[in-house]
């Protein structure tokens, strides 16, 4: 009888681990979808913005236009978001605002 109760406990512990792994996997999926939230709208994983057009608008008044476009394009590809306007408004896209260079300076224009 003691071996049956040990098997039950072992089975129970294994089921708890399986449920925990499932819940963690579901949480990762939810946080990924939440990370793609832009302007109050959730973007599906397949929908992306036109980085060339968005960065063209963002960098149209930059003194170093090509440098701005290159940095903005990299940030847009990572975040799938570019803040509106030619400067500021980074609160709209927290991912874009949080990227840093190797020198710990803001990467995105």
């Amino acid at each position: 009888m003691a071996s049956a109760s040990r098997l039950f406990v072992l089975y129970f512990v294994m089921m708890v681990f399986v449920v925990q792994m499932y819940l963690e996997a579901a949480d990762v999926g939810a946080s990924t979808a939440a990370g793609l939230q832009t302007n109050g709208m959730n973007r599906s994983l397949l929908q992306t913005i036109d980085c060339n057009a968005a960065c063209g608008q963002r960098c149209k008044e930059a003194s170093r236009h090509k440098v701005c476009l290159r940095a903005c394009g990299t940030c847009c590809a990572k975040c799938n978001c570019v803040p509106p306007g030619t400067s500021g408004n980074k609160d709209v896209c927290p991912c874009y605002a949080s990227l840093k260079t190797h020198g710990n300076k803001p990467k995105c224009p």
Side-chain angles (χ1 to χ4, degrees):
M1 194 62 152
S3 66
S5 65
R6 286 184 181 168
L7 284 174
F8 177 76
V9 169
L10 181 63
Y11 177 76
F12 180 75
V13 170
M14 288 175 47
M15 290 307 296
V16 168
F17 283 129
V18 168
V19 169
Q20 183 179 5
M21 288 178 9
Y22 173 77
L23 292 175
E24 287 177 359
D27 188 35
V28 167
S31 67
T32 301
L36 293 176
Q37 190 175 44
T38 308
N39 294 335
M41 299 172 15
N42 271 336
R43 297 187 176 273
S44 71
L45 293 176
L46 299 176
Q47 186 180 14
T48 58
I49 66 169
D50 181 4
C51 289
N52 289 335
C55 289
Q57 281 296 106
R58 183 77 176 172
C59 297
K60 69 182 178 184
E61 295 179 8
S63 61
R64 299 176 65 196
H65 188 72
K66 288 183 180 180
V67 173
C68 181
L69 286 175
R70 185 174 61 233
C72 180
T74 302
C75 296
C76 179
K78 287 183 181 179
C79 299
N80 194 36
C81 177
V82 175
T86 56
S87 65
N89 300 319
K90 290 186 178 182
D91 56 320
V92 174
C93 188
C95 171
Y96 188 94
S98 67
L99 295 178
K100 304 285 184 192
T101 64
H102 292 289
N104 204 29
K105 294 180 181 179
K107 178 178 185 73
C108 310

